Amino acid sequence: MKPETYTPKLLTVFREGYSAATFRADAIAGLTVAIVALPLAMALGIASGASPDKGLITAVVAGFLISALGGSRVQVGGPTGAFVVVIFNVIASHGYDGLLVATLLAGIILIVAGVLRLGQMIKYIPHPVVTGFTAGIAVIIASSQVKDFLGLAIDKVPADFLPKWQAYLGVLPSASWATIGVGVGALALIIMLRRWSPRLPGFLIAVVASSFAVALLNLPVDTIGSRFPDIPAGLPMPSLPEISFAKINAVLPSAFTIAFLAGIEALLSAVVADGMAGTRHRSNQELIGQGVANISSALFGGLPATGAIARTATNIRSGAKTPVAGMMHAAFLLLFILFGADLMAYVPMAALAAILFMVAWGMSEYQRFLALLRMPNSDRAVLLLTFGLTVLVDLTVAIGVGVTLASLLFMARMAETVEVDGSGRRDPELDAEDLDQRDDLPPGVEVFRIAGPFFFGVAGELLDTLRRLGQSPRVIILRLRLMPLLDASGAQALEEFVEQARLAGAEIILSGVQPQPRPMLDRVGLGETSAKVSHAADYAHAQSLAAELLARK
């Protein structure tokens, strides 16, 4: 085990040297992310069944510690949409104290997972399962905001999906046109700003504009002030929630769900950050940082937290260099809590509903969802089953059933790829694969051989191999004759590998593709007719193609 496995990236950055110019870049990025996170944290706090100040406390406390103690250079953490369903259900069943205990336990579970070096386990979660439950969560979040967006006169909205929509339809005539106007205006403003001025903070602008409109026109709409009249200012003093064995036993399943979601979301976000910033995170230290952050959030009365993909991407695009940017984002939010919390009272609930509609749309990853629907029936079944169970039953059940079904289908696929040959003859093509593949390799050409099934458990290795190369070669040959199986997650990883290599200026040659992977490659646009890659019948053909591609450059 490398000693830096459990070293926060912040310490690594300071050891390398930290300049005033770097701090200036980090501070600007932190301020930009804080502007994005401010309305989002309030909206997520309310959607979770808590209050807007709880979302802000989480963004400050957990956001600071996720950056300070995590294993990523540019990760930004805080409350996220993935937790909304779980938090809402825990509060409804066990009260807010129950949520604090569950968050505390989830933090301990994450630390244990990091110490046991389980950070790499994310690669064993099949792609259709992740896409299915995130799309399901997106549907649930959007559904939960219909009441505030339309201004429906309903005291208590049912928690389950179908009864919730039955209740909405029953009171639809009570919708408020003023509320609908505010919500539609905020939503339209966000969409227009994203399309024509994506660098502007659309969420914050929509909140400010709708708040001014409601105040100036004296519109009869629900606001944070009318819904939550007694919001405290500043950070509370840390304290332990009331803990008993009975409460621990009651919330432990939810704690495992929170820990699972936090780990998945944080490590997915860190992987995305690595691809955008060209860095490499420490997965086990990231889990430990997430664990400490969640324990601290619970002590301050906050919500569960994890790495936030959208805020992390904003951080990178804003010029963040180190974890200090994420820490500065938390510091700027703290200043708002201390000196501007009174302004929250003027924010219309319909505007926050519009923000959460956009969050749900981003979480849905509809393009990836539709792409998986074009995959074989087995992957499609896992996707739709996980999605349906998430929306209609329970998130924990959906994940368990999805992973189990994906594993069983994988074993079935593996059985189909096994061939028994009693002839005793050796395949000369396979003998050639055992030779030194780097003999006579021209300068500027790199070659990788994938031996064995390329499935969800090993899909990330190819991207890690590309990152370890440092400077990208001009041509990359992927030898696939010994790869008998390619599943949906492997195909998505292969597509991402090709895109990243092409961005770096490299051409890709796929050599010796077997029958089973061919239709999977066609579905992700990497088939024989694709302009993104070249195909070669065998390694000798691939070498000659590489020489031709080099000659053209």
Side-chain angles (χ1 to χ4, degrees):
M1 182 181 67
K2 296 180 180 179
E4 64 267 20
T5 299
Y6 296 111
T7 303
K9 281 285 186 174
L10 182 65
L11 291 181
T12 302
V13 165
F14 285 153
R15 287 171 185 167
E16 293 171 352
Y18 191 77
S19 65
T22 303
F23 176 75
R24 186 164 53 251
D26 284 340
I28 293 171
L31 177 60
T32 304
V33 177
I35 291 171
V36 172
L38 176 61
L40 194 55
M42 293 190 293
L44 290 169
I46 295 170
S48 300
S51 55
D53 60 305
K54 302 300 185 187
L56 289 171
I57 289 170
T58 308
V60 171
V61 176
F64 184 89
L65 292 172
I66 285 171
S67 295
L69 301 179
S72 171
R73 283 180 180 260
V74 287
Q75 178 91 283
V76 174
T80 68
F83 289 127
V84 165
V85 180
V86 181
I87 296 172
F88 190 91
N89 291 337
V90 173
I91 294 175
S93 302
H94 308 288
Y96 199 78
D97 265 2
L99 174 67
L100 297 180
V101 174
T103 306
L104 200 67
L105 293 173
I108 295 171
I109 293 168
L110 285 166
I111 292 174
V112 172
V115 171
L116 295 178
R117 303 178 64 189
L118 300 180
Q120 296 297 323
M121 293 298 289
I122 184 178
K123 66 186 180 183
Y124 293 105
I125 307 299
H127 195 76
V129 174
V130 176
T131 302
F133 78 69
T134 47
I137 291 171
V139 170
I140 294 173
I141 291 174
S143 298
S144 71
Q145 298 307 302
V146 171
K147 171 184 177 292
D148 287 335
F149 192 80
L150 301 180
L152 299 177
I154 179 172
D155 293 330
K156 188 170 178 58
V157 179
D160 294 333
F161 183 77
L162 294 179
K164 181 179 295 181
W165 277 97
Q166 287 176 339
Y168 287 156
L169 294 175
V171 297
L172 197 56
S174 68
S176 164
W177 287 109
T179 302
I180 293 172
V182 171
V184 170
L187 186 62
L189 184 56
I190 293 170
I191 293 172
M192 287 189 295
L193 287 172
R194 283 198 171 184
R195 181 171 182 180
W196 289 302
S197 300
R199 290 187 173 274
L200 293 178
F203 287 168
L204 187 63
I205 291 173
V207 163
V208 172
S210 57
S211 300
F212 269 113
V214 169
L216 292 175
L217 300 176
N218 196 25
L219 296 176
V221 302
D222 206 4
T223 64
I224 288 180
S226 63
R227 181 78 61 85
F228 306 98
D230 300 317
I231 296 177
L235 284 180
M237 292 297 294
S239 61
L240 272 173
E242 184 181 338
I243 300 176
S244 65
F245 285 112
K247 185 165 286 187
I248 289 174
N249 186 57
V251 302
L252 192 58
S254 298
F256 274 104
T257 302
I258 291 170
F260 176 82
L261 287 175
I264 289 286
E265 188 97 352
L267 295 177
L268 281 175
S269 179
V271 169
V272 171
D274 287 346
M276 292 181 66
T279 57
R280 192 175 183 191
H281 73 281
R282 295 166 185 157
S283 56
N284 297 312
Q285 180 58 38
E286 185 63 30
L287 290 181
I288 292 174
Q290 297 286 333
V292 174
N294 276 279
I295 291 172
S296 302
S297 181
L299 295 178
F300 279 88
L303 307 172
T306 185
I309 295 176
R311 275 160 276 175
T312 298
T314 301
N315 193 38
I316 296 168
R317 287 195 293 263
S318 301
K321 305 296 182 185
T322 74
V324 173
M327 296 161 66
M328 292 298 296
H329 129 270
F332 285 120
L333 288 176
L334 176 59
L335 291 176
F336 174 80
I337 291 177
L338 294 175
F339 303 109
D342 292 341
L343 299 175
M344 284 192 289
Y346 299 98
V347 176
M349 298 299 297
L352 295 182
I355 289 173
L356 287 168
F357 280 153
M358 295 303 298
V359 170
W361 180 252
M363 283 187 67
S364 69
E365 295 187 305
Y366 71 96
Q367 291 176 321
R368 187 168 292 180
F369 192 96
L370 294 176
L372 283 170
L373 287 177
R374 296 192 293 270
M375 292 296 174
N377 289 336
S378 55
D379 292 305
R380 193 182 307 134
V382 172
L383 172 74
L384 294 176
L385 183 62
T386 307
F387 173 77
L389 289 174
T390 301
V391 174
L392 300 175
V393 183
D394 180 73
L395 183 61
T396 308
V397 173
I399 293 170
V401 172
V403 171
T404 302
L405 180 59
S407 301
L408 291 173
L409 290 171
F410 167 70
M411 287 187 282
R413 284 177 182 165
M414 283 301 299
E416 292 172 359
T417 64
V418 175
E419 295 182 7
V420 179
D421 182 4
S423 66
R425 294 174 295 167
R426 292 178 61 85
D427 187 341
E429 293 285 358
L430 296 184
D431 283 343
E433 293 281 359
D434 291 329
L435 299 175
D436 188 351
Q437 64 177 358
R438 308 190 71 81
D439 285 351
D440 304 322
L441 202 62
V445 179
E446 190 57 72
V447 58
F448 301 116
R449 181 173 58 200
I450 299 175
F454 195 66
F455 66 107
F456 58 82
V458 296
E461 297 296 330
L462 193 59
L463 290 170
D464 288 341
T465 303
L466 179 61
R467 294 187 187 104
R468 284 195 292 268
L469 284 177
Q471 187 174 359
S472 178
R474 296 163 65 192
V475 179
I476 298 175
I477 300 173
L478 293 181
R479 302 179 67 177
L480 307 180
R481 185 173 295 279
L482 298 183
M483 184 185 76
L485 181 142
L486 181 70
D487 76 347
S489 295
Q492 293 285 339
L494 202 57
E495 181 187 21
E496 186 179 348
F497 175 88
V498 169
E499 291 298 331
Q500 291 196 15
R502 282 165 56 85
L503 286 174
E507 299 283 348
I508 306 294
I509 300 173
L510 305 182
S511 169
V513 180
Q514 293 297 302
Q516 190 277 341
R518 285 175 188 164
M520 297 295 290
L521 292 174
D522 288 335
R523 287 185 174 98
V524 294
L526 300 178
E528 293 186 0
T529 60
S530 172
K532 298 179 180 179
V533 297
S534 302
H535 281 252
D538 52 37
Y539 187 45
H541 183 202
Q543 286 177 306
S544 64
L545 271 179
E548 292 177 15
L549 291 171
L550 286 174
R552 294 178 198 165
K553 290 197 170 188

